[in-house]
Amino acid sequence: AQSVTQPDIHITVSEGASLELRCNYSYGATPYLFWYVQSPGQGLQLLLKYFSGDTLVQGIKGFEAEFKRSQSSFNLRKPSVHWSDAAEYFCAVLTSGGSYIPTFGRGTSLIVHP
Amino acid sequence: GAGVSQSPSNKVTEKGKDVELRCDPISGHTALYWYRQRLGQGLEFLIYFQGNSAPDKSGLPSDRFSAERTGESVSTLTIQRTQQEDSAVYLCASSLVPRGNYGYTFGSGTRLTVV
């Protein structure tokens, strides 16, 4: 079965600083990978997804993520964080065969200081 | 509709009462998922519906939980004899294709508080 690890429960950055949120997965083959953002009191919004091909994926709101097969990672990055980026971020994995159920990480809470 | 709609947005109930949560997916989305999100936790899978196939109920935590969906329409999640540990946000998501590999659209959730 696949699993997802988001090692950082909280991340604090200053507005304008760069950001990297970590995500590691466990699965024998290349999975489908997703990043979602959840603002307070809201559902989850898809930021970006990776299926195959170019390992650097561009998403909405200026986010990007890079798939690194050798490290089983799919880290989310943003070059300059805005105060409105403060939210909960979830990485998710869906296997390319078998289960149709995606597995979500426990989330990373991003705090942005002015 | 334009998005996934969940109702009610908030529900406070007394311990031991039954509650019913509703999810209205995006029209044409064949797959529908229910997740539970406890305070400060990640998403816990509950149940998956795909068209008229038998649902995947492997995530339901006890027999007090049940869900229904007719075809590709509205789904209801029912919790019988609610307990305090059932307090959580219940999220519904739908996807256009069965595997959901193009991504999922989530509703805003129902915040359930059992007192």
Side-chain angles (χ1 to χ4, degrees):
Chain A
Q2 73 271 26
S3 66
V4 183
T5 301
Q6 293 181 247
D8 304 305
I9 296 175
H10 302 283
I11 291 279
T12 301
V13 299
S14 297
E15 190 170 15
S18 64
L19 170 70
E20 182 169 31
L21 302 182
R22 296 184 290 165
C23 173
N24 293 95
Y25 67 89
S26 173
Y27 179 58
T30 299
Y32 300 111
L33 295 158
F34 308 85
W35 274 100
Y36 283 85
V37 60
Q38 184 181 34
S39 298
Q42 301 297 313
L44 278 69
Q45 180 184 21
L46 180 65
L47 285 175
L48 46 77
K49 55 185 180 287
Y50 173 79
F51 299 156
S52 64
D54 192 349
T55 57
L56 184 62
V57 180
Q58 301 298 319
I60 62 171
K61 304 185 179 187
F63 285 92
E64 67 178 26
E66 186 171 11
F67 169 61
K68 293 187 177 180
R69 185 191 311 274
S70 61
Q71 298 177 18
S72 297
S73 70
F74 188 57
N75 293 349
L76 183 70
R77 301 194 294 246
K78 187 169 185 178
S80 177
V81 170
H82 188 263
W83 64 267
S84 61
D85 293 325
E88 192 84 16
Y89 290 81
F90 293 93
C91 180
V93 168
L94 178 67
T95 61
S96 51
S99 173
Y100 282 19
I101 311 303
T103 300
F104 286 80
R106 63 172 296 162
T108 297
S109 178
L110 175 64
I111 301 165
V112 180
H113 281 168
Chain B
V4 176
S5 178
Q6 291 189 246
S7 61
S9 55
N10 282 283
K11 176 72 176 179
V12 180
T13 189
E14 292 181 353
K15 179 181 173 181
K17 294 285 182 68
D18 297 352
V19 295
E20 190 173 279
L21 312 180
R22 176 187 171 104
C23 173
D24 198 346
I26 292 174
S27 177
H29 277 202
T30 62
L32 187 148
Y33 303 77
W34 282 98
Y35 283 86
R36 178 169 70 178
Q37 185 179 27
R38 289 189 166 125
L39 186 64
Q41 302 296 313
L43 276 68
E44 177 187 1
F45 166 72
L46 296 177
I47 189 167
Y48 164 70
F49 294 93
Q50 167 50 37
N52 292 313
S53 302
D56 180 340
K57 303 179 182 180
S58 60
L60 294 179
S62 77
D63 59 8
R64 296 187 295 105
F65 288 72
S66 63
E68 293 184 348
R69 186 187 188 198
T70 303
E72 297 179 0
S73 63
V74 170
S75 174
T76 56
L77 176 69
T78 300
I79 308 173
Q80 295 178 311
R81 305 181 302 282
T82 52
Q83 303 295 312
Q84 287 187 329
E85 63 262 28
D86 299 334
S87 295
V89 175
Y90 289 82
L91 290 166
C92 175
S94 68
S95 68
L96 181 61
V97 297
R99 185 174 290 283
N101 44 317
Y102 296 122
Y104 312 88
T105 302
F106 281 83
S108 297
T110 293
R111 181 175 299 279
L112 176 66
T113 304
V114 182
V115 297

